[in-house]
Amino acid sequence: MKKWLCVIVCFFSLYVQAQVWTMKGKEPAGPGTWWCFRNTVTLDEQPNYRLAESNIGFDAVKDIPFMLPDYDDKKWKKATEISLEKAGWNQLVDRPIPFWKDYGLKPYACTEMQGDTLLRAYLPYNAQVTPYIRLKAPAGKCIRIRTDNYRGGSEPNVFAEYRTREGEQEFECKGWMNGHYVQYELPEGVEVLDVKYRETGYDTSFAGSFACDDPMLTRLWNKAQRTLYITMRDTYMDCPDRERAQWWGDVVNEQGEAFYALDEKAHLLTRKGIHELMGWQRADSTIFAPVPAGNYKDELPMQMMASVSHYGFWTYYMGTGDRETILDVLPRVKKYIHVWKTDSLGLVVPRSGGWTWGDWGENKDMTLLFNLWYVIALKGYEEMNQLAGEPEEAAWAHATADRLRKVFHRTFWNGKYYVSPGYQGKPDDRAQALAVVSGVLPEELYPVIRPFFSEWYHASPYMEKYVLEALCTMGYYQDALNRMKLRYHAMIESPLTTLWEGWGIGSEGFGGGTYNHAWSGGPLTILSQYIVGIETVEPAFRTFRVAPHPAHLNFIRTQVPLSGGRRIVLEMDKSAHGGTMYLRVPEGTSAEVELPAEFRSWRVNGEPKSERELRLSAGEWRFEMQAD
């Protein structure tokens, strides 16, 4: 079926603006002075069903030269003002996020012709762009514009089609697409005079940074930052090609990365997502994603538990100090938490939801995963209730989680790792990782589980974040870096500037195999939070911990962005016998510093110190450290 696309020309746009001005007390020229006209074109191809966006077609022969003084607009219709109710727009609200950032028209990094009919224009990195072309041609020539990522995730996404008029002309496709290069399909008779691109995106800056003397880890952190940015626009999304949807398993990982990678405006997108997720709660108290909902409304139970958990809403609060948002959504979180039930032993009763999804890949011990995600959700729920001054609910969450931890270990531990009765797959590394970070595995068993993570590799990049965190939680920082480099080796060495949905691309990956999935950016968080060791202690980093665990790294330099343009800055340079460290503690904050264990003595701003743990106020601090 052909899809009719519309281009509403400037008069209608001005009319809409006039209504905005009217609402702000600025009157337009008067009633009956605004006119509109619809310009149409047909396109045979459509994006896959997941996308709300359309392909864009424009026929320059049918263009409307309404800016010319002698243009006859007698066929235009009056633009009629109607009520908000008749428009069907529902309630208008203030935009909770910034308007898009427009980087302006820029020349491509380079261009090349592929034969006589294909112009390939390379971008400096994977970006959200609107392609531009200036050309000379006879009328009726069809130019098709798409990126190398047109079938990102195996399904077609968006493209543009421009039909020429006679002479010199220009066209910019106003519907954004993404990729590493733009491809212009040129018919015979078209002379290209210029091509450019306009990058647009969420209005935030790359305020965080990380570098070290291991180039693989530096490259991985930077790719994770780039991937995070390209999966942001009007919501966080899983990918900017196949569906552009706000899946909350992705959001949990993404919003955690943002505290180390981007400025404070990024967190407005998380706040918006929290309100949307809980605002779409159903009458039966279940929640689901993606939201806002379109053609999909199934609950993924484990992703929903992750959303309301310590890693979801509570991480947002600890990074921002936004108590108001937590208090606003907590009554709805309470409804969802109590959807879940425990049996007579205290183990969670699994719920299938709409899609019983634990992770991409095989060897998922779902019984373990259900129970462990519930423990982590209860931890976040307890923290939120303590914040809200609800001691009874906090105590219930604490007691329920504590009982579950004990019975889980007693029921599922086989002496080497956890496994549920009847499970037929290979041992699940995801489950062992969640058992560590949830506090289920007793600390005395850390040495027992340690070899497991050098033997089993089933987690997707989404869940790999928790495996790496488990190793760091147990104090095995070098193990974490070794596994990180092993698992991410192909992504690190790839010429692509973004991280992948799975461990491969396309048919070799999971879920369609997109090459820009920020849920894979867990190493960014791990490197910043555990290897550099910078972590918020009091909300909004009013007090933060600095506990470097550099493992094999001899040099680290990082910046962590805070509100108001402030930055935590840390630089460490060490050798076998000693080292130096510089720390900037921003105004309005204080730092709890734990010096690396391999050093035995140190001086701070020239003064010898005997304590290993220090509380430092705002200012610049220099450490000289000796190994013996």
Side-chain angles (χ1 to χ4, degrees):
M1 178 185 294
K2 292 186 177 181
K3 188 172 184 178
W4 287 87
L5 304 178
C6 305
V7 177
I8 309 300
V9 296
C10 286
F11 275 124
F12 184 73
S13 175
L14 290 171
Y15 170 74
V16 174
Q17 292 180 29
Q19 308 314 304
V20 175
W21 295 334
T22 300
M23 289 186 284
K24 294 182 177 179
K26 297 180 180 180
E27 295 293 335
T33 60
W34 301 98
W35 303 77
C36 63
F37 189 79
R38 174 175 290 179
N39 191 9
T40 60
V41 68
T42 61
L43 290 176
D44 292 322
E45 294 183 48
Q46 302 176 35
N48 79 83
Y49 73 94
R50 301 171 183 85
L51 283 170
E53 292 84 355
S54 299
N55 292 329
I56 289 179
F58 188 79
D59 190 337
V61 172
K62 297 179 181 179
D63 195 7
I64 306 168
F66 60 88
M67 299 297 288
L68 298 179
D70 58 350
Y71 177 72
D72 183 2
D73 62 0
K74 291 180 180 178
K75 294 183 179 180
W76 288 47
K77 296 180 181 180
K78 285 185 177 181
T80 305
E81 182 176 354
I82 61 174
S83 68
L84 181 63
E85 291 74 18
K86 287 185 178 179
W89 288 353
N90 299 317
Q91 181 183 358
L92 299 182
V93 298
D94 289 336
R95 181 181 176 89
I97 57 175
F99 285 103
W100 318 136
K101 187 172 184 177
D102 185 341
Y103 294 86
L105 278 175
K106 297 180 181 180
Y108 289 97
C110 64
T111 60
E112 63 179 15
M113 288 297 299
Q114 305 280 312
D116 297 327
T117 61
L118 198 62
L119 174 62
R120 185 171 289 180
Y122 291 91
L123 297 161
Y125 43 74
N126 194 351
Q128 298 175 5
V129 300
T130 57
Y132 164 90
I133 185 169
R134 185 165 64 88
L135 56 96
K136 187 175 182 181
K141 297 292 183 178
C142 180
I143 298 167
R144 295 167 67 88
I145 306 171
R146 66 187 72 196
T147 72
D148 60 302
N149 205 20
Y150 175 60
R151 289 193 174 272
S154 77
E155 300 286 354
N157 50 74
V158 294
F159 78 94
E161 186 177 283
Y162 176 69
R163 294 185 181 274
T164 63
R165 58 175 171 79
E166 180 75 27
E168 188 173 320
Q169 57 211 277
E170 60 182 358
F171 171 69
E172 181 179 351
C173 169
K174 294 299 185 180
W176 70 272
M177 54 188 76
N178 84 286
H180 284 83
Y181 62 81
V182 177
Q183 188 167 286
Y184 298 83
E185 297 178 24
L186 305 168
E188 185 179 352
V190 172
E191 178 185 355
V192 176
L193 304 177
D194 194 14
V195 287
K196 295 180 179 179
Y197 71 95
R198 184 188 306 274
E199 181 182 0
T200 61
Y202 189 83
D203 188 6
T204 187
S205 64
F206 285 31
S209 64
F210 170 87
C212 68
D213 58 325
D214 188 328
M216 288 185 70
L217 297 179
T218 301
R219 196 177 309 126
L220 178 56
W221 196 99
N222 289 330
K223 285 191 175 190
Q225 184 183 44
R226 173 61 58 189
T227 313
L228 175 62
Y229 184 64
I230 204 170
T231 54
M232 302 169 69
R233 200 166 175 98
D234 54 343
T235 65
Y236 279 113
M237 57 184 113
D238 60 331
C239 55
D241 40 43
R242 185 181 65 222
E243 51 202 280
R244 303 178 177 180
Q246 190 173 213
W247 294 92
W248 255 89
D250 302 66
V251 177
V252 169
N253 284 10
E254 290 166 340
Q255 58 112 18
E257 297 164 36
F259 289 110
Y260 294 103
L262 305 171
D263 71 30
E264 63 196 282
K265 288 184 286 186
H267 314 318
L268 298 175
L269 200 62
T270 307
R271 184 182 68 181
K272 175 177 177 286
I274 291 171
H275 284 296
E276 288 172 344
L277 177 63
M278 301 315 298
W280 283 72
Q281 188 169 36
R282 294 183 281 215
D284 64 359
S285 298
T286 59
I287 54 178
F288 68 100
V291 291
N295 54 24
Y296 188 87
K297 54 183 179 180
D298 288 344
E299 176 195 5
L300 277 71
M302 294 184 201
Q303 284 200 13
M304 295 302 94
M305 286 193 283
S307 304
V308 302
S309 77
H310 174 81
Y311 290 109
F313 294 1
W314 190 250
T315 291
Y316 166 77
Y317 170 71
M318 287 300 294
T320 64
D322 181 5
R323 184 171 182 267
E324 180 181 356
T325 291
I326 298 301
L327 297 186
D328 181 64
V329 300
L330 184 55
R332 283 165 280 176
V333 174
K334 178 180 180 179
K335 291 180 180 179
Y336 183 66
I337 284 290
H338 287 286
V339 166
W340 293 88
K341 308 297 180 184
T342 54
D343 61 20
S344 58
L345 295 175
L347 295 172
V348 73
V349 177
R351 297 177 50 256
S352 61
W355 181 9
T356 312
W357 185 91
D359 187 22
W360 287 138
E362 304 300 327
N363 301 300
K364 298 183 289 287
D365 194 332
M366 299 295 279
T367 298
L368 301 185
L369 294 175
F370 270 117
N371 280 278
L372 293 166
W373 273 123
Y374 190 53
V375 171
I376 296 169
L378 288 170
K379 180 180 180 182
Y381 185 58
E382 177 187 355
E383 292 164 326
M384 286 186 274
N385 277 285
Q386 289 173 340
L387 177 69
E390 297 288 347
E392 291 185 5
E393 278 296 298
W396 171 84
H398 181 86
T400 303
D402 191 53
R403 182 187 182 199
L404 201 161
R405 288 187 185 97
K406 293 174 181 176
V407 71
F408 182 98
H409 181 71
R410 190 168 59 246
T411 304
F412 301 126
W413 180 253
N414 70 359
K416 294 183 179 180
Y417 53 84
Y418 293 104
V419 62
S420 64
Y423 173 68
Q424 299 298 315
K426 296 177 181 178
D428 186 355
D429 51 339
R430 313 165 189 84
Q432 317 310 314
L434 293 184
V436 173
V437 301
S438 65
V440 168
L441 183 71
E443 290 187 18
E444 61 267 23
L445 293 177
Y446 286 177
V448 177
I449 201 71
R450 180 183 185 181
F452 183 98
F453 295 109
S454 298
E455 183 177 0
W456 302 106
Y457 301 92
H458 303 307
S460 81
Y462 162 59
M463 288 296 292
E464 184 67 16
K465 184 259 183 184
Y466 301 99
V467 177
L468 299 173
E469 183 168 351
L471 287 167
C472 292
T473 298
M474 295 186 291
Y476 304 133
Y477 301 99
Q478 189 62 61
D479 290 12
L481 294 184
N482 292 344
R483 178 165 171 136
M484 185 186 296
K485 292 175 68 173
L486 175 67
R487 299 229 75 189
Y488 279 87
H489 183 269
M491 292 192 217
I492 295 170
E493 297 302 325
S494 168
L496 298 173
T497 61
T498 44
L499 303 178
W500 314 339
E501 180 176 10
W503 300 112
I505 300 173
S507 61
E508 296 181 2
F510 303 120
T514 72
Y515 67 57
N516 25 229
H517 241 72
W519 76 356
S520 301
L524 185 156
T525 304
I526 300 303
L527 289 168
S528 298
Q529 183 175 350
Y530 292 97
I531 302 304
V532 178
I534 296 178
E535 182 177 17
T536 183
V537 175
E538 294 183 6
F541 289 81
R542 289 194 299 270
T543 299
F544 58 91
R545 182 176 296 111
V546 180
H549 299 96
H552 73 277
L553 303 177
N554 292 314
F555 174 77
I556 296 173
R557 182 177 62 246
T558 192
Q559 295 189 65
V560 177
L562 305 184
S563 62
R566 300 170 300 159
R567 288 180 174 85
I568 302 167
V569 179
L570 183 141
E571 186 168 316
M572 173 180 284
D573 199 346
K574 70 181 182 71
S575 66
H577 304 292
T580 60
M581 188 170 78
Y582 165 80
L583 173 65
R584 183 194 301 163
V585 181
E587 287 295 323
T589 70
S590 62
E592 296 177 354
V593 179
E594 180 181 329
L595 293 166
E598 58 260 44
F599 299 111
R600 295 291 177 263
S601 61
W602 45 85
R603 300 170 68 89
V604 182
N605 284 359
E607 296 291 328
K609 296 287 183 180
S610 57
E611 316 96 291
R612 182 173 298 281
E613 298 182 3
L614 305 171
R615 179 76 176 239
L616 302 178
S617 58
E620 297 188 356
W621 302 90
R622 290 173 172 81
F623 303 78
E624 300 170 66
M625 301 172 286
Q626 296 296 322
D628 47 36

